[in-house]
């Protein structure tokens, strides 16, 4: 009897997980509304709920005023969960009509069939005004699946007052300089000089700094466990062990803690993107906005510095019916219009994706100006739909390496095995 | 459950009449107990649909390389055909030989986690039950207080612990006041494991205590009186009267404890979340991670981990049951 209970319970547990992977039925969010009748579309916004979302919500109500037949149900989904949440929803039911998707997710979602191509629709009417490269990365196999909403790259954010107090005159340009500066700041100012956000995306500058990437798409090779990559990750390890650098924090709210510390002047430097500028300005250390400095991320031993180019596209769900899709296309066109992008840029200090949105008001924002100047040094992602999925195994192994549970080489070898599963045709080393 | 009843009945019958053929036995069983078969049918059908079918599908899945990208689906205008292939035992080979060093660390940690947690919960539960079983003032109040961690929903308990254990939380504050090291309970791998075990013990011991209290109250007090007359020391009374008297209870709750702890998803998942905390994931949370926590979702890998978990528990329970019945026969 006891064994029976155990077996039944276990079988049920497996059954629950197994039944979820049965054939996915087509998910349709719409209830067959007529093309000219009132339509309600759902938008999953992945922006920061406190600092960025109000701008988007205001734009949503502007859109509803201009289009009385369309109601937009605004849902803010935490960025960290959105990728898995959307793919789960897209496979069954409850997917939103419009999603603010990371540029890295777009081609993967398109390949999986979750997205509807937007070529020739209202959403892409203005394509010529957009940065060409950003439009290209929103495409997959000859179709455009996303419309670029914002773009960004990582930079070194620093606190000028803490620099001056420690007698440092300019931002570090190499990781070695950064180490020395951090130690000096700790010694002179008594606060930490640098904090590293332990996540694979933030480790990319260390790979680029050694002239490598997770994969080499031209020679079809997985390079995450190459000697250069090992060297890059070892740089992070030595950084974390050096004086004046905050010790590794991998708790669930590590990111928020880091931003609080930077905002209140308890950390002098962080590597971060423009989407946090508004948040930083709220901090007590930056009530005087001129105290805020942005420089390119430091360079590695190759002498080159590089940061990933990120950003977000608006994409439309393939499972929505025609009426919802038409409404979604109108909504995407509105949100990515020059006027909307200028509003987003001035309010949130993120970078617009179309040239005609760089109005004088936008470019006079010091946060935007600083990031715009380092955007040219950004490294675009290889055009591989699986690329953003590689961050997951890389992240897992990175944390183990940094916590000292694995050697750098062993950890990166494991990441390489996981990436090989995503790209079976690629060669390993 | 039904399956087990049948299994047991068949086994007992085999013990008694080893020579009867299968069909003859079935026919006799049907003649004698046809109403039992009829009454079982709905349960059997429901279980077959709800448990059997998905279980078989899950097992089949483990022999493929299915993931969220190559399983066919139709979403609006996009029709994507199935493109996953049969890979035989490749998933199991990959998992068990561990080329990416994934399953083995999780497996070892799951065993450590189960053993330590069960020892702690059963030990604490037994100790407190013995304490509670004496006549004393305010016994009801103590019992209420001790049952509280169990009565509160797990997520509330776990989230409170997360607050207490966070960097700069109450636990570290206390340790700091005592000039002891203050580990990062929620990010240092070793401290995370200790924290998980402590929280699970906190969540798990009240049930053990309650069960043992029930067991203790069923031991006739005459036995203790007789032991006292024979001049047994309190320790002797505990080992010679209490423990044997508790055997039916203790064997059941230990088995339950092992199965629950092995599959204790809530504590680990709620305490650490799913992001970036790989080293503290036990097999079930690891399987969840493979299925829901990554892109693309690894259906086949997750199902294979699930089947390995199931096999482990079935084998273990079989051995445990045999060991217990041998003990009972010896006693």
């Amino acid at each position: 009897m006891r064994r029976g209970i155990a077996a039944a319970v276990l079988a049920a547990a497996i059954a629950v997980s197994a039944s979820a992977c049965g054939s996915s039925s087509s998910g349709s969010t719409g209830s067959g509304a007529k093309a000219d009748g009132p339509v309600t579309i759902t938008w999953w916004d992945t922006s920061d709920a406190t600092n960025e979302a109000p701008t988007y919500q205001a734009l949503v109500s502007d859109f509803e005023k201009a289009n009385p037949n369309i109601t937009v149900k605004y849902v803010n989904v935490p960025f960290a969960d959105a990728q898995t949440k959307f793919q789960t929803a897209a496979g069954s039911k409850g997917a939103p009509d419009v999603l603010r998707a990371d540029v890295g997710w777009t081609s993967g979602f398109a390949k999986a069939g979750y997205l509807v191509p937007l070529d020739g629709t209202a959403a892409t009417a203005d394509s010529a005004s957009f940065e060409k490269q950003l439009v290209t990365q929103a495409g997959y196999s000859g179709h455009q699946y996303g419309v670029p909403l914002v773009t960004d790259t990582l930079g070194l954010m620093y606190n000028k007052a803490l620099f001056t107090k420690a007698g440092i005159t300019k931002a570090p340009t190499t990781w070695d300089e950064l180490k020395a500066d951090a130690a000096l700041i700790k010694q002179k100012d008594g606060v930490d000089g640098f904090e590293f956000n332990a996540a694979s995306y933030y480790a990319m500058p260390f790979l680029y700094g050694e002239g490598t990437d997770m994969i080499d798409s031209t020679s079809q090779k997985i390079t995450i466990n190459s000697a250069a990559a090992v060297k890059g990750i070892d740089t992070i390890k030595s950084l974390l062990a050096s004086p004046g650098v905050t010790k590794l924090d991998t708790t669930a709210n590590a990111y928020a803690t880091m931003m609080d510390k930077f905002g209140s002047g308890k950390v002098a430097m962080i590597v971060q993107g423009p989407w946090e500028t508004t948040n930083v300005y709220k901090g007590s250390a930056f009530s005087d906005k001129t105290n805020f400095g942005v420089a390119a991320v430091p360079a590695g031993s190759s002498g080159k510095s590089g940061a990933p180019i990120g950003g977000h596209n608006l994409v439309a769900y393939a499972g929505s019916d025609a009426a919802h899709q038409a409404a979604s296309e109108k909504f995407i066109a509105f949100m990515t219009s020059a006027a909307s992008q200028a509003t987003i840029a001035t309010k949130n200090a993120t970078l617009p994706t179309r040239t005609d949105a760089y109005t004088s008001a936008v470019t006079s924002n010091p946060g935007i100006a600083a990031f715009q100047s380092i955007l040219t040094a950004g490294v675009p992602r290889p055009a591989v739909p699986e690329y953003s999925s590689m961050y997951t195994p890389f992240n897992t192994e990175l944390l183990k390496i940094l916590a000292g549970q694995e050697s750098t080489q062993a950890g990166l070898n494991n990441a390489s095995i996981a990436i090989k599963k995503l790209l079976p045709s690629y060669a390993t080393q | 459950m039904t399956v087990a009843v049948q299994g047991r009945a068949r086994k007992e019958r085999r013990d008694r009449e080893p020579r009867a053929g299968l069909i003859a036995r079935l026919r006799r069983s049907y003649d004698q107990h046809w109403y039992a078969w009829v009454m079982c049918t709905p349960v059997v059908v429901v279980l077959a649909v709800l448990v059997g079918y998905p279980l078989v599908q899950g097992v089949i899945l483990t022999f493929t390389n299915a993931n969220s990208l190559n399983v066919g689906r139709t979403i609006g205008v996009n029709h994507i055909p199935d493109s996953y292939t049969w890979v035989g035992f490749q998933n199991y080979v990959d998992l068990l030989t561990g080329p990416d060093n994934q399953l083995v660390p999780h497996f070892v940690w799951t065993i450590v986690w189960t053993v330590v947690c069960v020892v702690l919960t059963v030990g604490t539960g037994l100790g407190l039950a013995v304490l509670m079983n004496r006549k004393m003032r305010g016994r009801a109040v103590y019992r209420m207080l001790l049952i509280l961690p169990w009565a509160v929903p797990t997520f509330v308990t776990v989230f409170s612990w997360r607050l207490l254990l966070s960097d700069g939380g109450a636990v570290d504050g206390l340790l700091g006041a005592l000039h002891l090291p203050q580990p990062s309970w929620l990010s240092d791998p070793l401290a995370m494991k200790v924290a998980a075990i402590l929280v699970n013990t906190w969540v798990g011991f009240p049930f053990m205590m309650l069960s043992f209290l029930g067991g203790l109250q069923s031991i006739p007090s005459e036995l203790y009186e007789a032991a006292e007359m024979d001049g047994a020391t309190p320790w002797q009374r505990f080992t010679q009267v209490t423990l044997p008297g508790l055997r039916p209870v203790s064997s059941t709750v230990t088995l339950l404890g092992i199965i629950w702890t092995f599959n204790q998803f809530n504590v680990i998942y709620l305490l650490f979340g799913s992001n970036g905390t790989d080293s503290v994931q036990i097999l079930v949370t690891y399987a969840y991670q493979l299925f829901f926590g990554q892109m693309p979702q690894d259906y086949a890998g997750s199902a294979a981990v699930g089947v390995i978990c199931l096999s482990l528990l079935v084998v273990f329970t079989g051995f445990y049951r045999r060991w217990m019945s041998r003990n009972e026969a010896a006693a």
Side-chain angles (χ1 to χ4, degrees):
Chain A
M1 192 65 175
R2 254 180 273 134
R3 181 175 60 179
I5 293 172
V9 167
L10 284 162
I14 299 248
V16 169
S17 63
S19 59
C21 37
S23 63
S24 322
S25 59
S26 67
S28 161
T29 48
S31 52
K34 286 191 189 76
D36 51 349
V39 179
T40 300
I41 58 169
T42 306
W43 178 38
W44 280 10
D45 177 26
T46 56
S47 69
D48 184 89
T50 38
N51 298 310
E52 293 188 284
T55 310
Y56 290 108
Q57 276 162 317
L59 283 172
V60 164
S61 48
D62 286 351
F63 173 73
E64 285 175 337
K65 259 175 236 152
N67 297 275
N69 269 340
I70 304 172
T71 312
V72 179
K73 194 178 153 218
Y74 176 90
V75 184
N76 191 285
V77 179
F79 176 74
D81 308 335
Q83 191 185 13
T84 47
K85 214 173 158 180
F86 179 76
Q87 70 166 351
T88 309
S92 54
K93 268 188 181 153
D97 300 287
V98 180
L99 172 75
R100 180 182 186 257
D102 185 270
V103 292
W105 307 343
T106 310
S107 55
F109 283 161
K111 189 182 177 190
Y114 301 150
L115 306 182
V116 67
L118 298 170
D119 320 68
T121 66
T124 52
D126 286 356
S127 273
S129 318
F130 287 79
E131 301 273 0
K132 212 168 170 208
Q133 196 196 347
L134 298 177
V135 174
T136 315
Q137 63 54 28
Y140 171 71
S141 79
H143 294 283
Q144 190 179 347
Y145 282 92
V147 183
L149 179 68
V150 293
T151 183
D152 58 57
T153 188
L154 291 177
L156 182 76
M157 291 185 177
Y158 61 97
N159 184 326
K160 287 182 184 165
L162 289 174
F163 268 43
T164 321
K165 211 171 146 195
I168 303 164
T169 49
K170 64 177 190 56
T173 54
T174 66
W175 294 113
D176 285 335
E177 276 180 42
L178 183 138
K179 248 194 233 178
D181 287 353
L184 200 61
I185 288 166
K186 183 78 184 175
Q187 193 193 335
K188 293 272 171 72
D189 303 349
V191 298
D192 281 347
F194 178 68
E195 175 157 357
F196 176 66
N197 176 30
S200 51
Y201 190 71
Y202 291 81
M204 295 313 290
F206 293 88
L207 296 187
Y208 298 146
E210 303 302 325
T212 187
D213 196 343
M214 292 196 282
I215 53 166
D216 179 351
S217 62
T218 40
S219 66
Q220 304 259 307
K221 233 173 123 179
I222 295 166
T223 51
I224 187 126
N225 56 342
S226 64
V230 171
K231 200 171 173 195
I233 303 305
D234 279 339
T235 308
I236 307 180
K237 272 179 93 169
S238 75
L239 256 183
L240 285 168
S242 61
V245 177
T246 315
K247 70 174 176 149
L248 182 70
D249 182 359
T250 56
T251 46
N253 44 1
Y255 183 91
T257 315
M258 178 182 84
M259 290 318 297
D260 285 350
K261 275 156 81 182
F262 183 69
S264 58
K266 287 181 191 136
V267 169
M269 294 178 274
I270 53 170
V271 170
Q272 193 53 279
W275 59 87
E276 286 292 352
T277 311
T278 340
N279 186 18
V280 168
Y281 283 155
K282 284 184 181 169
S284 54
F286 299 98
S287 48
D288 173 14
K289 290 184 184 177
T290 54
N291 189 32
F292 179 59
V294 177
V297 291
S301 67
S302 74
K304 271 193 303 186
S305 84
I309 293 182
H312 299 275
N313 299 323
L314 287 181
V315 298
Y317 177 53
S320 308
D321 61 28
H324 283 79
Q325 268 171 25
S328 301
E329 283 153 11
K330 269 191 196 166
F331 177 66
I332 292 174
F334 176 86
M335 292 302 280
T336 54
S337 67
S340 299
Q341 287 211 2
T343 310
I344 297 167
T346 39
K347 294 258 172 67
N348 291 356
T350 48
L351 303 173
T353 54
R354 47 195 289 169
T355 39
D356 52 356
Y358 281 93
T359 59
S360 55
V362 171
T363 45
S364 66
N365 182 327
I368 294 181
F371 272 103
Q372 200 190 355
S373 66
I374 59 174
L375 195 58
T376 45
V379 181
R381 302 168 203 221
V384 176
E386 290 82 5
Y387 190 78
S388 76
S389 299
M390 296 175 198
Y391 289 130
T392 312
F394 181 26
N395 206 43
T396 307
E397 301 301 334
L398 178 70
L399 292 178
K400 286 191 192 173
I401 293 168
L402 297 182
Q405 291 176 290
E406 285 176 329
S407 72
T408 310
Q409 186 70 59
L412 293 180
N413 287 348
N414 290 345
S416 159
I417 292 169
I419 290 174
K420 172 83 177 167
K421 279 189 198 159
L422 295 169
L423 297 171
S425 65
Y426 274 51
T428 49
Q429 55 183 351
Chain B
M1 231 188 279
T2 325
V3 182
V5 172
Q6 286 171 353
R8 183 142 99 165
R10 210 186 304 140
K11 199 173 174 193
E12 279 168 5
R13 192 154 298 118
R14 196 184 336 158
D15 293 343
R16 263 179 264 144
E17 313 166 28
R19 292 285 163 249
L22 179 69
I23 294 170
R25 272 188 283 129
L26 275 178
R27 184 176 300 142
R28 192 171 317 145
S29 160
Y30 179 77
D31 287 344
Q32 282 180 350
H33 305 294
W34 62 269
Y35 50 90
W37 288 102
V38 171
M39 289 167 114
C40 283
T41 315
V43 182
V44 172
V45 170
V46 168
L47 279 183
V49 172
L50 288 183
V51 178
Y53 168 71
L55 182 62
V56 169
Q57 244 211 343
V59 172
I60 292 171
L61 210 54
T62 65
F63 299 112
T64 66
N65 61 358
N67 62 31
S68 57
L69 291 178
N70 58 19
V71 167
R73 71 216 129 203
T74 302
I75 297 170
V77 289
N78 299 318
H79 302 279
I80 298 191
D82 277 333
S83 61
Y84 59 89
T85 51
W86 194 259
V87 295
F89 283 92
Q90 193 58 45
N91 287 316
Y92 293 99
V93 172
D94 279 355
L95 280 171
L96 296 174
T97 58
D100 55 353
N101 204 8
Q102 283 293 309
L103 184 85
V104 176
H106 293 294
F107 174 72
V108 171
W109 160 233
T110 308
I111 300 297
V112 172
W113 150 264
T114 309
V115 170
V116 176
C117 282
V118 169
V119 167
L120 283 178
T121 47
V122 171
T124 321
L126 181 60
L128 286 170
V130 171
L131 278 179
M132 288 283 106
N133 198 33
R134 293 181 303 176
K135 289 202 175 60
M136 55 176 155
R137 201 179 292 235
R139 187 160 74 160
V141 177
Y142 289 126
R143 275 193 199 174
M144 277 301 285
L145 284 178
L146 285 168
I147 293 166
L148 213 61
W150 187 56
V152 174
T154 319
F155 82 93
V156 176
T157 319
V158 175
F159 284 166
S160 337
W161 273 105
R162 212 158 91 169
L163 277 180
L164 292 174
L165 291 168
S166 62
D167 284 351
V171 173
D172 275 356
L174 188 70
L175 289 174
L178 296 171
H179 301 289
L180 291 170
Q182 305 171 33
S184 328
W185 295 107
L186 301 179
S187 60
D188 175 55
L190 184 67
M192 282 164 90
K193 291 181 177 175
V194 174
I197 289 173
L198 288 181
V199 173
N200 191 50
T201 308
W202 172 264
V203 174
F205 84 84
F207 173 78
M208 301 293 170
M209 188 189 77
L210 272 188
S211 314
F212 282 125
L213 257 179
L216 284 174
Q217 277 159 5
S218 73
I219 301 174
S221 56
E222 289 82 12
L223 286 177
Y224 286 102
E225 283 164 20
E228 227 166 321
M229 295 291 275
D230 292 343
T233 61
W235 178 249
Q236 280 173 327
R237 265 177 277 154
F238 178 71
T239 53
Q240 303 297 321
V241 180
T242 309
L243 285 186
L246 281 177
R247 184 170 288 151
V249 176
S250 63
S251 62
T252 310
V253 296
T254 309
L255 180 66
L256 273 181
I258 288 170
I259 291 170
W260 282 345
T261 316
F262 191 91
N263 290 323
Q264 181 54 279
F265 182 84
N266 299 349
V267 168
I268 302 266
Y269 184 77
L270 295 176
L271 197 57
F272 304 114
S274 57
N275 291 333
T277 49
D278 188 58
S279 57
V280 80
Q281 306 290 346
I282 55 173
L283 288 175
V284 280
T285 53
Y286 174 57
Y288 176 86
Q289 190 75 15
L290 287 178
F291 199 108
F292 294 101
Q294 62 178 35
M295 161 89 195
Q297 298 165 307
D298 187 356
Y299 299 158
S302 180
V305 173
V307 168
I308 290 175
C309 280
L310 176 69
S311 325
L312 277 173
L313 279 182
V314 167
V315 169
F316 165 77
T317 315
F319 276 111
Y320 187 84
R321 212 170 144 262
R322 198 168 298 172
W323 179 71
M324 283 317 299
S325 57
R326 201 183 305 147
N327 271 8
E328 271 162 32

